[in-house]
Amino acid sequence: MARIQARTASENREMYQNLINQYTSDISPYTTSGTNALTAQENLLGLNGAAGTGAQQQAFDNFNNSTGYQFGLNQGLNAVNSNAYANGTADSGATLKALQDRGTQLANQQFNQYYNDLNGLGSQGLNAYQGLGSMMQAGTNGATSSNTAAADARSSGILGQTSALTNALNGITNAGSTYA
């Protein structure tokens, strides 16, 4: 019985470790994306690297060249230009101001969206790590239970052997006193 429980405990510990290894592998893309998104956010805010390393400028260039920003900017400026050409005011100061205002408005809007998108990716990575932590806790609880069951089985076996030995010695002593 003790050997069976010890073997089962060992198999359970191996199973828990395999589950943790598999889950860690499965969440890797999410944790990597989360880490990269957090780094991009930090770079945008100027939190990474010493002054002059260019991390913040590179992050801002990445935003400026992003598909979402470029598409929105082009659509917005084209709309202002189309309206101005249709009204015959393409070269007016009002049109130039409208282009500038629209560009600024889109930059603010798109920057907030870009930053929030990065935040969403960062949250996915954090949630993946939290899931791993929960799985590791469950695995630890399961392994502890398996180890306890194995220890109980071993101690039962030892106690059983001790009891059998004690009973045998008592039997011999009783038999000896009967013949004496």
Side-chain angles (χ1 to χ4, degrees):
M1 176 75 166
R3 286 186 187 144
I4 293 170
Q5 285 183 314
R7 186 180 74 234
T8 301
S10 177
E11 289 170 356
N12 285 342
R13 286 189 299 272
E14 183 178 343
M15 178 188 67
Y16 292 129
Q17 186 59 53
N18 289 340
L19 286 172
I20 288 169
N21 291 343
Q22 182 62 49
Y23 187 79
T24 302
S25 174
D26 290 346
I27 67 169
S28 180
Y30 300 100
T31 57
T32 299
S33 292
T35 300
N36 291 342
L38 178 60
T39 300
Q41 283 180 305
E42 290 170 341
N43 288 344
L44 279 169
L45 298 175
L47 300 176
N48 284 335
T53 61
Q56 187 175 26
Q57 185 60 53
Q58 180 60 49
F60 191 69
D61 289 346
N62 289 342
F63 159 69
N64 277 330
N65 295 320
S66 68
T67 305
Y69 176 64
Q70 287 299 313
F71 177 77
L73 181 63
N74 289 334
Q75 292 297 308
L77 297 181
N78 286 340
V80 171
N81 280 325
S82 294
N83 187 39
Y85 282 111
N87 294 329
T89 58
D91 294 327
S92 72
T95 299
L96 294 176
K97 179 154 179 25
L99 288 169
Q100 184 179 20
D101 289 347
R102 186 65 179 143
T104 300
Q105 178 189 22
L106 286 168
N108 287 333
Q109 180 183 356
Q110 289 299 319
F111 183 83
N112 287 335
Q113 183 62 49
Y114 184 77
Y115 191 85
N116 288 334
D117 289 347
L118 291 173
N119 195 51
L121 287 172
S123 293
Q124 284 180 346
L126 179 61
N127 290 339
Y129 274 120
Q130 288 172 336
L132 176 61
S134 295
M135 178 173 258
M136 291 177 76
Q137 182 62 49
T140 299
N141 292 344
T144 300
S145 295
S146 293
N147 290 342
T148 301
D152 288 347
R154 275 191 228 100
S155 66
S156 289
I158 292 169
L159 290 174
Q161 290 173 354
T162 303
S163 179
L165 182 60
T166 301
N167 287 340
L169 289 174
N170 284 340
I172 292 170
T173 304
N174 287 340
S177 65
T178 303
Y179 292 110

